[in-house]
Amino acid sequence: MAKSLIQFRDAVGTRGVALLDDEGSAHVVPGVATTLELALRALAAGQSLAAAAERALADAAGQAGVGEAIDLASVTLLAPIDHPDTAHLLLTGTGLTHLGSAEGRDKMHRAINDAAQQTDSMKMFLMGVEGGQPTDGQVGAQPEWFYKGDGMSLIAPGAPLPSPDFALDAGEEPELAGIYLIDQDGTPVRLGYALANEFSDHVTECGNYLWLAHSKLRPAALGPELLLGDLPEHVEGTSRIVRDGETIWEKPFLSGAANMSHSFANLEHHHFKYAGFRRPGDVHVHFFGTATLSFSDEVRTRQGDVFEIEAAPFRLPVRNPIGAAPALAVTVRVI
């Protein structure tokens, strides 16, 4: 059965972790305040994260499966992973990874002077279709890769996504994200998956493909759940935009291995092959891409619009309004 971990803060400000079972019941995991703390305990004991949570519950209650129940509506839900030092949590991602994902991106980047020209986006997409799912022991095609920021860029459930004053667009990207902890020997360990909104600036990106790096340096939001274990092969969800209480755009999206041109293993290999991403103790949130964007349907968002993303087997959605970061004039001081 699908199990998830939830991080929360109670009314007096105390942090905790809860195990959400397949029926939607949440039970506080005793003895730990954060998912990271529980993950470190699981690694030390040679257990899975789910087993470590269930062991803590059983030890506290005297019998398996019983623990202090918690009403999630009575607490503040936090991102399902964080790090006490935000510099040691990295947000990164890959694009053009899903079957059908080239259409929207190619539309954005197609050369004006030659409608028949195959863009770099389409070339990279086809590389993934042809070589993104290698057989065991082989290395597949490299995906598009981007950096979003560190833990300061991770936005809590329900909190506004602050769009910079210089941004040309504030667009959603409904995705799955892998959550990882680097073990003391430098081995990446996947803790689970989260439902995510990989917030991006698509107007900047389509202005020039070389501005992709700029367009991705934006905050991102995760849903409250860290889904433990394996994902279904087929994940189907809905992405929508709500303005003044009314849905102005809604569309289904597909993810999971059955709907991707790259395997998860191939995407993970091409991220963690770099030694700088295997630093013991670091946490990684890696976005796996999408094929569905409201921008491709010529939707233009504005401050106050609310993004809602939901998909089974996740029980809780990603829901965040668009906010605005204050304007800031940056000057360089010389000493």
Side-chain angles (χ1 to χ4, degrees), residues 159-197:
L161 285 158
S163 187
D165 71 296
F166 54 79
L168 302 180
D169 176 47
E172 87 300 333
E173 296 205 11
E175 304 192 15
L176 298 174
I179 312 300
Y180 305 86
L181 172 63
I182 310 302
D183 202 354
Q184 291 306 304
D185 63 359
T187 302
V189 179
R190 189 195 310 123
L191 305 182
Y193 297 91
L195 194 57
N197 183 353

Side-chain angles (χ1 to χ4, degrees), residues 38-116:
L38 182 62
L40 291 170
R41 178 187 292 185
L43 282 175
Q47 295 178 308
S48 69
L49 202 47
E54 291 169 341
R55 180 73 264 167
L57 284 167
D59 288 346
Q63 53 181 315
V66 178
E68 179 188 351
I70 185 171
D71 179 5
L72 296 181
S74 69
V75 296
T76 300
L77 298 180
L78 307 174
I81 190 67
D82 55 4
H83 196 289
D85 182 349
T86 55
H88 287 279
L89 188 153
L90 298 181
L91 303 177
T92 57
T94 53
L96 296 169
T97 54
H98 285 61
L99 299 172
S101 63
E103 181 183 355
R105 186 70 66 81
D106 200 52
K107 210 188 301 183
M108 291 162 59
H109 300 154
R110 182 165 294 283
I112 295 173
N113 63 340
D114 186 355

Side-chain angles (χ1 to χ4, degrees), residues 212-236:
L212 173 71
H214 291 278
S215 76
K216 293 298 187 181
L217 286 171
R218 299 292 185 271
L222 300 178
E225 290 178 73
L226 177 65
L227 187 70
L228 306 179
D230 295 325
L231 272 173
E233 290 283 302
H234 177 82
V235 175
E236 184 171 351

